[in-house]
Amino acid sequence: MLLEFKCKNHKSIRNEVVFSLLATKDNVNEKYLYDFSNLKVLKSAVIYGANGSGKSNFIDSILFMKSLVINSINYQPGTGINYFPHKLNGMESESSYSMQFVKDGIRYAYGFSVQQMLVKDEYLYYFPKGRQARIFDRNGLNFEEGSKFKGRFNNCKEVLKPNRLLLSCAANFTNIEEIENSFRFFSEDRLFAHRQAGQVRALEVAGRDHCMMVGHFLVVDNLGGIAGNLHAIGKGHRPGSELDQLR
């Protein structure tokens, strides 16, 4: 279940944007909400706008994140990450991507940034019993495990490369349940695009009770004020005050 997605510097998206699936305080149409911990989460949400407003690039940024998590373990040494910074920023600039999601009843916060076609930093946190705890925090090729996971990433040290995500490596070279759950969110949960005539028309991010659609317009009855939102925020993407809003 997706709670939040953030990205910055991806194609036409220059400044950081946030898509949140947390419901407002409006209690109308509660049947369209999903309860998780003390949160009210949307079962469905729609982003809509004019042609050229960035909807397709928003979809593309999510699919880029998914693809890198699943496939970067296969990247060969010396191969750069084919990413897509804003034209005015150039290839020297940093692009960042992060998600908060729920897998098997546990909330996770995962993100990474790419610069000059290599992974700059990466992190994974989780919230057992609602309290934030670190799984790993990476800077370049150096990473630090959370206290529960000390020594459990040793097999990754030989396979981690500047063009590979640690999550992708650890999913293949460790037996850490929290790593596997995080990886499976990207590899198994329904996260895909609908295409028409070669163009991305809609995105579905779905679980048993949850989906998001991104399209050119919205015509739907009885949703009222229940809708996702996309808005700009300030700098910073690691767990902290912004995550506190979701607790």
Side-chain angles (χ1 to χ4, degrees):
M1 179 173 66
L2 179 66
L3 298 177
E4 180 185 87
F5 172 73
K6 294 192 283 188
C7 72
K8 180 179 70 173
N9 194 31
H10 183 91
K11 294 189 173 181
S12 64
I13 301 173
R14 189 176 188 183
N15 298 319
E16 188 171 64
V17 296
V18 179
F19 180 82
S20 173
L21 280 158
L22 295 187
T24 65
K25 295 181 180 180
D26 191 342
N27 59 5
V28 178
N29 294 320
E30 287 192 345
K31 64 181 179 180
Y32 295 109
L33 301 180
Y34 179 84
D35 290 315
F36 172 71
S37 186
N38 61 339
L39 305 175
K40 296 289 186 181
V41 184
L42 305 178
K43 290 185 178 181
S44 62
V46 176
I47 294 176
Y48 61 97
N51 290 337
S53 60
K55 301 182 303 299
S56 293
N57 288 338
F58 168 76
I59 294 171
D60 188 80
S61 65
I62 296 179
L63 298 181
F64 171 81
M65 184 178 189
K66 173 185 177 178
S67 177
L68 201 61
V69 169
I70 295 172
N71 299 315
S72 66
I73 183 61
N74 299 314
Y75 286 14
Q76 299 301 306
T79 302
I81 297 171
N82 188 24
Y83 75 119
F84 310 95
H86 193 279
K87 289 182 178 180
L88 296 180
N89 291 343
M91 296 301 293
E92 300 292 321
S93 60
E94 174 185 344
S95 296
S96 62
Y97 308 83
S98 66
M99 278 191 184
Q100 293 195 51
F101 55 91
V102 177
K103 185 67 175 177
D104 292 346
I106 302 294
R107 174 183 155 204
Y108 293 85
Y110 173 69
F112 61 83
S113 64
V114 178
Q115 188 172 27
Q116 294 182 311
M117 303 181 75
L118 301 174
V119 178
K120 180 181 179 182
D121 55 36
E122 182 184 5
Y123 66 87
L124 178 62
Y125 286 71
Y126 75 133
F127 296 77
K129 299 180 180 179
R131 300 187 64 179
Q132 179 179 310
R134 176 167 56 191
I135 299 176
F136 68 77
D137 209 328
R138 171 189 181 184
N139 193 317
L141 287 177
N142 300 313
F143 61 87
E144 183 177 357
E145 309 101 320
S147 58
K148 177 183 174 181
F149 305 96
K150 293 293 185 182
R152 301 185 66 186
F153 286 85
N154 289 343
N155 291 339
C156 297
K157 294 179 179 179
E158 298 298 323
V159 296
L160 184 63
K161 306 295 181 183
N163 59 353
R164 295 175 179 173
L165 293 174
L166 180 54
L167 177 57
S168 185
C169 295
N172 288 274
F173 289 91
T174 72
N175 292 313
I176 302 172
E177 180 181 4
E178 292 80 4
I179 289 289
E180 181 178 343
N181 286 341
S182 299
F183 183 85
R184 285 174 50 222
F185 172 79
F186 291 95
S187 65
E188 295 181 0
D189 283 24
R190 291 160 58 194
L191 176 60
F192 54 87
H194 300 285
R195 297 179 181 270
Q196 179 180 344
Q199 298 293 319
V200 176
R201 295 302 183 189
L203 172 73
E204 185 173 351
V205 183
R208 293 179 181 176
D209 305 296
H210 182 78
C211 71
M212 176 181 70
M213 300 298 293
V214 182
H216 286 286
F217 54 85
L218 168 63
V219 180
V220 63
D221 294 327
N222 298 325
L223 284 186
I226 300 179
N229 58 84
L230 181 66
H231 59 91
I233 64 166
K235 296 181 179 179
H237 61 278
R238 271 180 165 70
S241 59
E242 291 161 11
L243 286 182
D244 292 339
Q245 299 173 9
L246 294 177
R247 293 184 182 177

